[in-house]
Amino acid sequence: MDIRPRRLRRSPAIRDMVRETTLTTKDFIYPLFVKAGKGEKEPIDAMPGQFQYTVDGIGEEAGVIWELGIPSVILFGIPDRKDAVGSRSYADDGVIQQAIGAIKERVPDLVVITDVCLCEYTDHGHCGIIKDGDVDNDATLEVLARQAVSHARAGADFVAPSDMMDGRVAAIRKELDARGFQNRGLISYAVKYASAFYGPFREAADSAPQFGDRQGYQMDPANAMEAIKEALLDMDEGADMIMVKPALPYLDIVQRVREICLLPLMAYNVSGEYSMVKAAEQMGWIDGERVMMEMLLAIKRAGADLIITYFAKDAARRLNPAKT
Ligand code: PBG
Protein backbone atom coordinates (compact mmCIF):
# COMPACT_ATOMS: atom_id res chain seq x y z
CA MET A 1 0.00 0.00 0.00
CA ASP A 2 1.21 3.44 -0.92
CA ILE A 3 1.15 6.11 1.76
CA ARG A 4 0.11 9.32 0.00
CA PRO A 5 -0.29 12.29 2.36
CA ARG A 6 -0.88 14.54 -0.66
CA ARG A 7 -4.47 13.21 -0.89
CA LEU A 8 -5.26 15.54 2.00
CA ARG A 9 -3.79 18.53 0.16
CA ARG A 10 -5.58 18.16 -3.17
CA SER A 11 -8.01 21.07 -2.96
CA PRO A 12 -8.65 24.15 -0.85
CA ALA A 13 -11.80 22.57 0.60
CA ILE A 14 -9.98 19.41 1.66
CA ARG A 15 -7.17 21.46 3.14
CA ASP A 16 -9.75 23.52 5.07
CA MET A 17 -11.26 20.31 6.46
CA VAL A 18 -8.03 18.92 7.84
CA ARG A 19 -6.41 22.16 9.04
CA GLU A 20 -5.27 21.75 12.64
CA THR A 21 -4.76 25.40 13.59
CA THR A 22 -6.80 28.46 12.72
CA LEU A 23 -6.26 32.09 13.54
CA THR A 24 -9.09 34.45 14.40
CA THR A 25 -9.11 38.12 15.34
CA LYS A 26 -10.06 36.99 18.87
CA ASP A 27 -6.56 35.62 19.29
CA PHE A 28 -5.01 39.07 19.11
CA ILE A 29 -4.13 41.76 21.60
CA TYR A 30 -2.95 45.03 20.11
CA PRO A 31 -0.22 47.07 21.86
CA LEU A 32 -0.78 50.82 22.04
CA PHE A 33 1.74 53.52 23.00
CA VAL A 34 0.20 56.53 24.67
CA LYS A 35 2.18 59.68 25.36
CA ALA A 36 1.38 62.63 27.56
CA GLY A 37 0.17 65.85 25.99
CA LYS A 38 -2.11 66.67 23.11
CA GLY A 39 -1.80 66.54 19.37
CA GLU A 40 -1.35 64.28 16.40
CA LYS A 41 -0.27 60.68 16.61
CA GLU A 42 3.46 60.37 15.97
CA PRO A 43 4.95 57.62 13.80
CA ILE A 44 7.56 55.36 15.42
CA ASP A 45 10.54 55.23 13.05
CA ALA A 46 11.77 51.79 14.04
CA MET A 47 8.28 50.28 13.80
CA PRO A 48 6.69 51.27 10.46
CA GLY A 49 2.90 51.48 10.78
CA GLN A 50 2.96 51.97 14.59
CA PHE A 51 2.36 55.26 16.39
CA GLN A 52 2.58 57.04 19.69
CA TYR A 53 -0.94 58.29 20.40
CA THR A 54 -2.02 61.03 22.75
CA VAL A 55 -4.93 60.66 25.14
CA ASP A 56 -7.20 62.75 22.91
CA GLY A 57 -6.67 60.38 19.97
CA ILE A 58 -6.73 57.07 21.80
CA GLY A 59 -10.51 56.61 22.00
CA GLU A 60 -10.90 56.82 18.25
CA GLU A 61 -8.10 54.31 17.70
CA ALA A 62 -9.73 51.98 20.24
CA GLY A 63 -12.90 52.16 18.14
CA VAL A 64 -11.02 51.13 14.99
CA ILE A 65 -9.46 48.17 16.82
CA TRP A 66 -12.82 47.02 18.21
CA GLU A 67 -14.49 47.31 14.80
CA LEU A 68 -11.82 45.04 13.36
CA GLY A 69 -12.90 42.34 15.83
CA ILE A 70 -9.85 42.61 18.08
CA PRO A 71 -11.07 42.16 21.66
CA SER A 72 -8.21 43.68 23.62
CA VAL A 73 -5.36 46.18 23.82
CA ILE A 74 -2.29 46.43 26.04
CA LEU A 75 -1.20 49.95 26.96
CA PHE A 76 2.30 51.39 27.33
CA GLY A 77 2.78 54.92 28.65
CA ILE A 78 5.25 57.64 27.78
CA PRO A 79 4.94 60.09 30.68
CA ASP A 80 5.34 63.87 30.75
CA ARG A 81 8.35 63.55 33.05
CA LYS A 82 10.56 60.90 34.56
CA ASP A 83 12.24 60.60 37.96
CA ALA A 84 14.30 58.09 39.94
CA VAL A 85 11.28 56.23 41.35
CA GLY A 86 8.89 56.44 38.41
CA SER A 87 6.29 58.42 40.34
CA ARG A 88 4.28 59.32 37.21
CA SER A 89 3.49 55.63 36.83
CA TYR A 90 1.03 55.64 39.74
CA ALA A 91 -0.37 59.17 39.46
CA ASP A 92 -4.14 59.39 39.09
CA ASP A 93 -3.64 61.94 36.30
CA GLY A 94 -0.89 59.86 34.66
CA VAL A 95 -0.98 59.16 30.96
CA ILE A 96 -2.15 55.53 31.27
CA GLN A 97 -4.76 56.36 33.86
CA GLN A 98 -6.20 59.00 31.52
CA ALA A 99 -5.95 56.75 28.49
CA ILE A 100 -7.92 53.97 30.21
CA GLY A 101 -10.70 56.46 30.93
CA ALA A 102 -10.75 57.70 27.33
CA ILE A 103 -10.87 54.16 25.92
CA LYS A 104 -13.54 52.92 28.31
CA GLU A 105 -15.69 55.96 27.59
CA ARG A 106 -15.60 55.31 23.86
CA VAL A 107 -15.47 51.48 23.74
CA PRO A 108 -16.55 50.13 27.14
CA ASP A 109 -16.29 46.46 26.12
CA LEU A 110 -12.74 46.58 24.79
CA VAL A 111 -10.61 44.60 27.25
CA VAL A 112 -7.92 46.91 28.56
CA ILE A 113 -4.66 45.39 29.77
CA THR A 114 -1.96 47.67 31.17
CA ASP A 115 1.74 47.00 31.19
CA VAL A 116 2.97 47.43 34.76
CA CYS A 117 6.64 48.38 34.84
CA LEU A 118 8.87 51.30 35.75
CA CYS A 119 11.28 51.50 32.81
CA GLU A 120 9.20 54.05 30.89
CA TYR A 121 8.85 56.22 34.01
CA THR A 122 12.34 56.22 35.53
CA ASP A 123 15.08 58.63 34.45
CA HIS A 124 17.62 55.76 34.58
CA GLY A 125 15.41 53.50 32.41
CA HIS A 126 15.57 50.44 34.64
CA CYS A 127 12.46 48.45 35.56
CA GLY A 128 12.79 49.17 39.27
CA ILE A 129 14.17 51.29 42.10
CA ILE A 130 17.96 51.57 42.07
CA LYS A 131 19.93 51.02 45.27
CA ASP A 132 23.74 50.79 45.27
CA GLY A 133 23.83 50.56 41.48
CA ASP A 134 21.42 47.63 41.29
CA VAL A 135 17.65 47.21 41.00
CA ASP A 136 16.29 46.65 44.50
CA ASN A 137 13.70 43.89 44.26
CA ASP A 138 11.58 44.46 47.32
CA ALA A 139 11.54 48.26 47.16
CA THR A 140 10.33 47.91 43.57
CA LEU A 141 7.44 45.62 44.56
CA GLU A 142 5.78 48.42 46.50
CA VAL A 143 5.87 50.82 43.58
CA LEU A 144 4.61 48.17 41.14
CA ALA A 145 1.68 47.34 43.42
CA ARG A 146 0.86 51.03 43.70
CA GLN A 147 0.96 51.40 39.92
CA ALA A 148 -1.25 48.33 39.43
CA VAL A 149 -3.84 49.63 41.90
CA SER A 150 -3.95 53.00 40.16
CA HIS A 151 -4.52 51.27 36.80
CA ALA A 152 -7.33 49.20 38.33
CA ARG A 153 -8.86 52.32 39.84
CA ALA A 154 -8.81 53.95 36.41
CA GLY A 155 -10.70 50.97 35.00
CA ALA A 156 -8.13 48.48 33.67
CA ASP A 157 -9.47 44.94 33.28
CA PHE A 158 -6.06 43.29 33.64
CA VAL A 159 -2.68 44.47 34.86
CA ALA A 160 0.37 42.85 33.32
CA PRO A 161 3.64 43.19 35.24
CA SER A 162 6.64 43.00 32.88
CA ASP A 163 9.42 43.97 35.29
CA MET A 164 10.61 40.43 36.26
CA MET A 165 11.04 41.22 39.97
CA ASP A 166 10.69 38.17 42.23
CA GLY A 167 7.39 37.93 44.06
CA ARG A 168 5.63 40.67 42.17
CA VAL A 169 2.58 38.64 41.23
CA ALA A 170 1.80 37.89 44.88
CA ALA A 171 2.59 41.46 45.94
CA ILE A 172 0.34 43.01 43.29
CA ARG A 173 -2.48 40.50 43.86
CA LYS A 174 -2.44 41.20 47.57
CA GLU A 175 -2.63 44.95 47.09
CA LEU A 176 -5.39 44.73 44.44
CA ASP A 177 -7.46 42.56 46.77
CA ALA A 178 -6.85 44.82 49.76
CA ARG A 179 -8.11 47.80 47.77
CA GLY A 180 -11.29 46.12 46.60
CA PHE A 181 -10.17 45.08 43.11
CA GLN A 182 -10.66 41.34 43.56
CA ASN A 183 -12.42 41.19 40.20
CA ARG A 184 -9.50 42.57 38.17
CA GLY A 185 -7.12 40.13 36.57
CA LEU A 186 -3.38 39.77 36.55
CA ILE A 187 -1.47 38.61 33.49
CA SER A 188 2.10 37.84 34.33
CA TYR A 189 5.00 38.23 31.94
CA ALA A 190 6.16 35.09 33.71
CA VAL A 191 8.77 34.01 31.18
CA LYS A 192 10.51 37.08 29.86
CA TYR A 193 13.95 36.80 28.35
CA ALA A 194 16.68 39.46 28.24
CA SER A 195 16.27 39.86 24.49
CA ALA A 196 17.77 42.05 21.78
CA PHE A 197 14.41 41.74 20.00
CA TYR A 198 13.05 44.53 22.25
CA GLY A 199 15.23 47.13 20.50
CA PRO A 200 12.54 48.96 18.51
CA PHE A 201 10.19 49.01 21.51
CA ARG A 202 12.73 50.87 23.59
CA GLU A 203 12.76 53.59 20.96
CA ALA A 204 8.95 53.58 20.84
CA ALA A 205 8.58 53.76 24.61
CA ASP A 206 11.75 55.75 25.31
CA SER A 207 12.74 53.15 27.89
CA ALA A 208 16.31 52.06 27.19
CA PRO A 209 18.40 51.64 30.37
CA GLN A 210 20.86 54.50 30.81
CA PHE A 211 23.51 52.22 32.34
CA GLY A 212 24.05 48.47 32.29
CA ASP A 213 21.42 46.11 30.93
CA ARG A 214 18.48 44.01 32.12
CA GLN A 215 20.27 40.68 32.51
CA GLY A 216 20.09 40.93 36.30
CA TYR A 217 16.31 40.51 36.19
CA GLN A 218 15.22 39.23 32.75
CA MET A 219 15.95 35.60 31.85
CA ASP A 220 18.97 34.15 30.11
CA PRO A 221 17.98 33.10 26.55
CA ALA A 222 19.93 29.88 27.09
CA ASN A 223 17.53 28.60 29.77
CA ALA A 224 14.43 26.48 29.21
CA MET A 225 14.02 24.63 32.51
CA GLU A 226 14.02 27.96 34.29
CA ALA A 227 11.01 28.98 32.19
CA ILE A 228 9.02 26.17 33.78
CA LYS A 229 10.10 27.34 37.21
CA GLU A 230 9.05 30.94 36.50
CA ALA A 231 5.70 29.80 35.11
CA LEU A 232 4.98 27.55 38.10
CA LEU A 233 5.89 30.31 40.55
CA ASP A 234 3.55 32.83 38.94
CA MET A 235 0.69 30.34 38.71
CA ASP A 236 1.23 29.67 42.39
CA GLU A 237 1.31 33.37 43.24
CA GLY A 238 -2.10 33.86 41.66
CA ALA A 239 -1.64 34.94 38.04
CA ASP A 240 -4.78 34.57 35.87
CA MET A 241 -2.83 34.16 32.66
CA ILE A 242 0.84 33.88 31.91
CA MET A 243 3.01 34.99 29.07
CA VAL A 244 6.12 33.94 27.19
CA LYS A 245 8.15 36.70 25.59
CA PRO A 246 9.53 37.05 22.91
CA ALA A 247 7.51 34.59 20.81
CA LEU A 248 9.13 33.43 17.59
CA PRO A 249 12.65 32.55 18.75
CA TYR A 250 11.09 30.91 21.84
CA LEU A 251 8.41 28.62 20.40
CA ASP A 252 10.01 25.66 22.16
CA ILE A 253 9.38 27.52 25.40
CA VAL A 254 5.77 28.28 24.44
CA GLN A 255 5.23 24.59 23.81
CA ARG A 256 6.87 23.47 27.04
CA VAL A 257 5.07 26.01 29.18
CA ARG A 258 1.76 25.07 27.50
CA GLU A 259 2.24 21.50 28.66
CA ILE A 260 2.52 22.40 32.34
CA CYS A 261 0.19 25.42 32.45
CA LEU A 262 -3.51 25.26 33.31
CA LEU A 263 -4.08 28.95 32.55
CA PRO A 264 -4.59 30.74 29.25
CA LEU A 265 -1.15 31.21 27.73
CA MET A 266 -0.13 34.34 25.92
CA ALA A 267 2.88 34.91 23.68
CA TYR A 268 4.30 38.34 22.89
CA ASN A 269 5.31 38.74 19.25
CA VAL A 270 7.71 41.59 20.12
CA SER A 271 8.86 44.73 18.36
CA GLY A 272 12.01 43.26 16.78
CA GLU A 273 10.00 40.38 15.31
CA TYR A 274 7.65 42.95 13.77
CA SER A 275 10.26 45.38 12.49
CA MET A 276 12.37 42.67 10.83
CA VAL A 277 9.39 41.67 8.71
CA LYS A 278 8.61 45.29 7.83
CA ALA A 279 12.23 45.99 6.88
CA ALA A 280 12.56 42.91 4.68
CA GLU A 281 9.22 43.72 3.09
CA GLN A 282 10.33 47.27 2.32
CA MET A 283 13.46 45.86 0.68
CA GLY A 284 11.24 43.69 -1.48
CA TRP A 285 12.83 40.54 -0.10
CA ILE A 286 9.76 38.84 1.34
CA ASP A 287 5.99 38.95 1.01
CA GLY A 288 5.42 40.69 4.34
CA GLU A 289 1.72 39.86 4.58
CA ARG A 290 2.23 36.15 4.06
CA VAL A 291 5.19 36.06 6.44
CA MET A 292 3.05 37.83 9.04
CA MET A 293 0.24 35.28 8.79
CA GLU A 294 2.67 32.37 8.88
CA MET A 295 4.39 33.76 11.99
CA LEU A 296 1.12 34.26 13.85
CA LEU A 297 -0.11 30.82 12.89
CA ALA A 298 3.15 29.26 14.06
CA ILE A 299 2.89 30.99 17.43
CA LYS A 300 -0.63 29.64 17.87
CA ARG A 301 0.35 26.18 16.68
CA ALA A 302 3.13 26.09 19.28
CA GLY A 303 0.47 26.46 21.98
CA ALA A 304 -0.27 30.13 22.56
CA ASP A 305 -3.96 30.86 23.19
CA LEU A 306 -3.49 34.59 22.71
CA ILE A 307 -0.90 36.66 20.88
CA ILE A 308 0.15 40.21 21.66
CA THR A 309 1.16 41.55 18.27
CA TYR A 310 1.76 44.80 16.40
CA PHE A 311 0.40 42.91 13.38
CA ALA A 312 -3.06 42.58 14.96
CA LYS A 313 -4.79 45.18 12.79
CA ASP A 314 -3.14 44.07 9.54
CA ALA A 315 -3.84 40.42 10.30
CA ALA A 316 -7.46 41.18 11.24
CA ARG A 317 -7.94 42.94 7.92
CA ARG A 318 -6.57 39.93 6.13
CA LEU A 319 -8.73 37.50 8.07
CA ASN A 320 -11.90 39.55 7.50
CA PRO A 321 -11.44 41.53 4.28
CA ALA A 322 -15.09 42.69 4.42
CA LYS A 323 -14.37 44.89 7.42
CA THR A 324 -11.79 47.10 5.74
C1 PBG B 1 8.99 46.65 29.76
C2 PBG B 1 8.60 46.07 28.46
C3 PBG B 1 9.42 45.87 27.35
C4 PBG B 1 8.62 45.31 26.36
C5 PBG B 1 7.34 45.18 26.88
N1 PBG B 1 7.36 45.64 28.21
C6 PBG B 1 10.83 46.24 27.09
C7 PBG B 1 11.92 45.74 27.92
O1 PBG B 1 11.77 44.81 28.72
O2 PBG B 1 12.99 46.30 27.76
C8 PBG B 1 9.08 44.93 24.98
C9 PBG B 1 8.03 44.72 23.97
C10 PBG B 1 8.52 44.70 22.56
O3 PBG B 1 9.71 44.65 22.25
O4 PBG B 1 7.62 44.74 21.71
N2 PBG B 1 8.08 47.61 30.21
Side-chain angles (χ1 to χ4, degrees), residues 53 55-67 102-103 106-107:
Y53 295 88
V55 171
D56 42 329
I58 204 71
E60 190 184 330
E61 177 62 13
V64 171
I65 293 161
W66 182 252
E67 282 307 309
I103 292 172
R106 184 82 171 245
V107 198

Side-chain angles (χ1 to χ4, degrees), residues 33 47 76 115-120 127 162-163 189 192 197-202 207 209 214 218 245 268-272 310:
F33 298 98
M47 301 176 70
F76 297 94
D115 185 79
V116 170
C117 195
L118 291 183
C119 62
E120 296 120 71
C127 302
S162 66
D163 51 280
Y189 287 72
K192 177 172 177 181
F197 285 88
Y198 308 150
F201 174 95
R202 291 183 188 167
S207 65
R214 305 211 202 286
Q218 299 180 348
K245 174 183 176 194
Y268 197 142
N269 178 217
V270 301
S271 57
Y310 304 97

Side-chain angles (χ1 to χ4, degrees), residues 138-157:
D138 297 5
T140 302
L141 295 183
E142 281 175 41
V143 188
L144 292 171
R146 206 165 159 185
Q147 184 185 154
V149 166
S150 93
H151 291 174
R153 194 181 298 123
D157 297 289

Side-chain angles (χ1 to χ4, degrees), residues 15 30-31 55 101 107 111 127 142 166 177 241 298 301:
R15 291 196 292 274
Y30 188 61
V55 171
V107 198
V111 177
C127 302
E142 281 175 41
D166 296 330
D177 291 350
M241 305 189 207
R301 191 195 60 230

Side-chain angles (χ1 to χ4, degrees), residues 1-318:
M1 181 197 58
D2 255 5
I3 308 236
R4 293 192 178 271
R6 286 185 55 193
R7 284 181 205 126
L8 296 180
R9 302 179 199 139
R10 265 182 62 228
S11 74
I14 296 174
R15 291 196 292 274
D16 276 349
M17 287 171 72
V18 300
R19 184 160 300 124
E20 297 174 38
T21 311
T22 41
L23 281 174
T24 85
T25 60
K26 306 296 172 209
D27 301 329
F28 304 144
I29 295 153
Y30 188 61
L32 284 174
F33 298 98
V34 198
K35 66 172 177 181
K38 287 186 180 294
E40 289 294 299
K41 63 181 184 182
E42 203 169 311
I44 298 164
D45 284 347
M47 301 176 70
Q50 305 301 314
F51 299 87
Q52 290 179 342
Y53 295 88
T54 53
V55 171
D56 42 329
I58 204 71
E60 190 184 330
E61 177 62 13
V64 171
I65 293 161
W66 182 252
E67 282 307 309
L68 284 166
I70 299 163
S72 179
V73 294
I74 180 163
L75 304 182
F76 297 94
I78 301 129
D80 45 0
R81 58 182 190 275
K82 302 179 187 241
D83 58 29
V85 296
S87 60
R88 294 301 290 163
S89 71
Y90 52 78
D92 284 338
D93 64 346
V95 60
I96 289 298
Q97 290 78 359
Q98 291 185 37
I100 298 166
I103 292 172
K104 286 288 181 185
E105 195 183 308
R106 184 82 171 245
V107 198
D109 294 334
L110 187 70
V111 177
V112 175
I113 304 170
T114 57
D115 185 79
V116 170
C117 195
L118 291 183
C119 62
E120 296 120 71
Y121 302 91
T122 51
D123 47 18
H124 47 73
H126 276 286
C127 302
I129 306 295
I130 303 290
K131 272 192 193 146
D132 304 324
D134 191 16
V135 176
D136 185 282
N137 195 89
D138 297 5
T140 302
L141 295 183
E142 281 175 41
V143 188
L144 292 171
R146 206 165 159 185
Q147 184 185 154
V149 166
S150 93
H151 291 174
R153 194 181 298 123
D157 297 289
F158 290 90
V159 294
S162 66
D163 51 280
M164 290 300 279
M165 295 304 121
D166 296 330
R168 90 270 211 212
V169 171
I172 292 172
R173 186 69 265 166
K174 185 163 163 247
E175 202 59 23
L176 285 173
D177 291 350
R179 304 290 176 128
F181 297 109
Q182 293 93 339
N183 64 346
R184 305 309 167 80
L186 195 158
I187 300 169
S188 176
Y189 287 72
V191 182
K192 177 172 177 181
Y193 287 93
S195 172
F197 285 88
Y198 308 150
F201 174 95
R202 291 183 188 167
E203 181 192 310
D206 184 25
S207 65
Q210 299 303 302
F211 65 91
D213 56 37
R214 305 211 202 286
Q215 292 182 75
Y217 37 105
Q218 299 180 348
M219 284 176 58
D220 182 343
N223 294 355
M225 230 170 18
E226 195 183 4
I228 308 292
K229 177 171 85 179
E230 286 284 4
L232 290 174
L233 277 171
D234 287 3
M235 282 157 60
D236 208 45
E237 287 182 32
D240 299 289
M241 305 189 207
I242 62 174
M243 195 194 302
V244 171
K245 174 183 176 194
L248 264 202
Y250 297 87
L251 292 186
D252 57 325
I253 307 296
V254 172
Q255 187 179 16
R256 288 169 76 157
V257 171
R258 173 71 289 167
E259 280 163 12
I260 56 102
C261 174
L262 304 177
L263 303 173
L265 178 63
M266 215 176 257
Y268 197 142
N269 178 217
V270 301
S271 57
E273 300 172 47
Y274 172 84
S275 297
M276 287 194 308
V277 175
K278 290 289 172 188
E281 180 181 38
Q282 283 175 8
M283 293 298 288
W285 292 341
I286 57 169
D287 179 334
E289 290 253 308
R290 286 187 54 208
V291 168
M292 161 183 84
M293 296 312 284
E294 189 175 329
M295 271 186 165
L296 296 170
L297 186 73
I299 295 167
K300 191 156 179 209
R301 191 195 60 230
D305 302 299
L306 295 161
I307 306 169
I308 302 180
T309 179
Y310 304 97
F311 288 122
K313 285 165 63 186
D314 292 345
R317 291 196 179 98
R318 212 175 148 106

